[in-house]
Structure formats: C-alpha cells, structure tokens
Amino acid sequence: MKLLITNDDGVFAPGIITLASFLAERGEECTVVAPDRERSSVGHAITLTRPLRLWAIPSGLYSSTCSVYACDGTPSDSVMLGLEEIIPEPDLVLSGINKGPNLGDDLTYSGTVSAAMEALILGRPSLAFSLNCRDADEEQHYETAAAVAGSLLDFLRGSPLPEGVLLNVNVPNVPLPLLKGIKVTRKGVRLYEGKVTRLKDPAGRSYFWVSGRPEDRLEEGSDVWAVAGGFVSVTPVHMDMTHFPSLQTLTANGAEKINFK
Ligand code: MN
C-alpha cells in the first residue's frame, strides 16, 4: 500500500517514527509529511496568513525506505501539502501514533484526529492512531500500536472503509501480548476536571495553565470504556455533525417561523 503518514507530535516524535518504520519494514510504501515541531491540540487549524514551507529531511531515525518531509504548518496543512505536492494518490492516510489517547471529547481538539479528518474531506480514506500513555509512564509501547496498525491495514485490504468514514484507533499502553483484543466502539464522554489553573508569575501577574484531569464516563461500548478495559478501541467517525432528531423538533417548534421584525 502507498501510505501518507502524518501526526501532531512532530516529524521527530517516536510514535510516527515507529509507525512508519514498522509499516515500511512490512513492505508498505511510506511517505511521511509531518509538522516540524509538536502541534498537539491545534485541532483542525490550517495556515492562511503566512507562507508554508515543506522540505525533505534525511530518513535518519526512520527505516531507510521511508521518504520523510517536514512542514512548518499544522497537521492539516501537512496533509494538504502532502497530497498536493508529494503523494497525490495514497491508498490510505495515517495519522499518529499520538503520544496520549484521543478518546471521547478529545476528538475535536486533537491534531492527530483532525489530520485524518482533513484527509477524509479531501476524499482519502484515513486512520488515526493514539497510544493511551501518559508522560509519567516509564515505558511507551508504540511498537504495540504499530503492530495493531499493521493488522488493521491487513483487515482493510479485504474490507475497505466506506466512503466518508475514518477510524479513530486508541491502543492501551501495554506490550502486544497483554492486549485483550479489539472493540468497535462509539465516541464516549471524557470531560476534564480543573481545566484552567491560575498561577502568578515572578512579577505577581496572573497567568493561566490549561490542562485538567480527564473524567471518563465508562459506558459500555464507548471508546473510553474499551481502552480502560485493556482493549484496542476502534471508532468509526464521520464528519456530519448535524443532530438529526433536532431537525424535526426545531421545525415543529416553529424555528422557521421566527419573526425578525
Ligand atoms: Mn499529540
């Protein structure tokens, strides 16, 4: 398969190096186009107000058969430029492996998932991969997530994704033999407690730090539930954010008859 691979942790992050190198060594044709630095949590941002640069870099830490390019824009910029300039007809666009999960409401903040969404908007099938690790974890098992990606690619060869659907894949941070299996899930609910912390700088002025502890609702069948139980979570995602039941309710309640005068 011809693969375009991107991420939001930057082109030198271990997750994307492990993913591209693992797949290249399995015989896939891997082209990496990724941000030149970490752009986590930029969501679906694209760069419209300054020029963008795109340059080839030596494969270095990557498997030698990977073609690697850095872009000084966002993950979505990287997908756009990658498809326009480097590899116009990939079989699949992959994003990740992200350092940290993209579960529940992380989806709209995530540069990793947004890059996959950008590919989808441009008419290419895509998958997003994230490892459920934290900074404090001693080991980060990107090799587990890469092996999952390889197996999913094999599955998709026989059972391609429907048009307009991407897969958001989250992998527990454990050695491969300890994975419990795969669950096909729906997007769950993940809220953050204490999202904004106010602190003081040395001059006594306030500054703010946005972070927060995730609070998951572990409803059966959801992505947060699957990963908490040691399973790989595979969520099919599409871009239509319309809430269909409200089409009828809003109309029935007279929203189209609101008088402006
Ligand atoms: Mn990230």
Side-chain angles (χ1 to χ4, degrees):
M1 274 187 172
K2 278 185 171 176
L3 305 173
L4 170 59
I5 305 179
T6 192
N7 75 346
D8 76 356
D9 295 335
V11 70
F12 297 113
I16 192 169
I17 294 171
T18 306
L19 178 65
S21 300
F22 178 85
L23 295 175
E25 279 157 26
R26 281 172 47 115
E28 317 293 354
E29 200 180 315
C30 294
T31 304
V32 172
V33 183
D36 62 347
R37 70 201 78 175
E38 177 165 0
R39 305 301 301 262
S40 290
S41 297
V42 300
H44 207 137
I46 54 171
T47 304
L48 300 178
T49 52
R50 63 170 176 86
L52 285 170
R53 306 284 178 184
L54 179 66
W55 64 97
I57 57 175
S59 65
L61 296 167
Y62 286 84
S63 171
S64 61
T65 55
C66 297
S67 305
V68 187
Y69 297 82
C71 163
D72 67 351
T74 65
S76 293
D77 291 329
S78 302
V79 170
M80 250 188 287
L81 293 185
L83 290 172
E84 190 74 28
E85 296 293 325
I86 313 286
I87 169 171
E89 298 296 338
D91 298 306
L92 212 49
V93 177
L94 307 183
S95 183
I97 302 161
N98 188 57
K99 184 180 87 172
N102 279 303
L103 296 164
D105 301 298
D106 294 339
L107 253 68
T108 57
Y109 300 106
S110 167
T112 306
V113 179
S114 294
M117 289 176 177
E118 183 60 28
L120 205 61
I121 288 170
L122 297 173
R124 271 61 164 215
S126 61
L127 294 96
F129 293 95
S130 304
L131 184 68
N132 188 35
C133 60
R134 294 165 307 168
D135 280 326
D137 289 340
E138 265 179 31
E139 287 187 80
Q140 292 169 343
H141 293 280
Y142 292 112
E143 78 288 353
T144 301
V148 167
S151 302
L152 263 175
L153 254 57
D154 290 341
F155 170 78
L156 291 173
R157 274 184 250 263
S159 173
L161 286 169
E163 205 169 304
V165 176
L166 68 87
L167 297 182
N168 181 39
V169 182
N170 281 271
V171 179
N173 185 31
V174 295
L176 190 61
L178 298 187
L179 282 183
K180 298 245 178 80
I182 293 191
K183 295 281 183 195
V184 176
T185 58
R186 66 177 185 277
K187 186 187 84 65
V189 177
R190 156 164 285 196
L191 302 167
Y192 285 89
E193 281 295 310
K195 204 169 178 182
V196 178
T197 308
R198 180 206 287 258
L199 298 159
K200 294 276 186 203
D201 72 11
R205 293 167 302 198
S206 291
Y207 69 95
F208 302 90
W209 204 284
V210 177
S211 58
R213 269 188 330 282
E215 297 276 325
D216 295 336
R217 274 190 221 149
L218 296 179
E219 289 161 0
E220 191 171 339
S222 67
D223 54 5
V224 286
W225 164 84
V227 170
F231 290 87
V232 174
S233 167
V234 176
T235 307
V237 173
H238 68 148
M239 299 294 297
D240 188 346
M241 296 170 92
T242 310
H243 184 249
F244 285 94
S246 293
L247 288 177
Q248 284 181 351
T249 325
L250 278 167
T251 313
N253 290 348
E256 292 181 348
K257 297 192 180 108
I258 294 171
N259 197 338
F260 300 120
K261 292 180 189 161

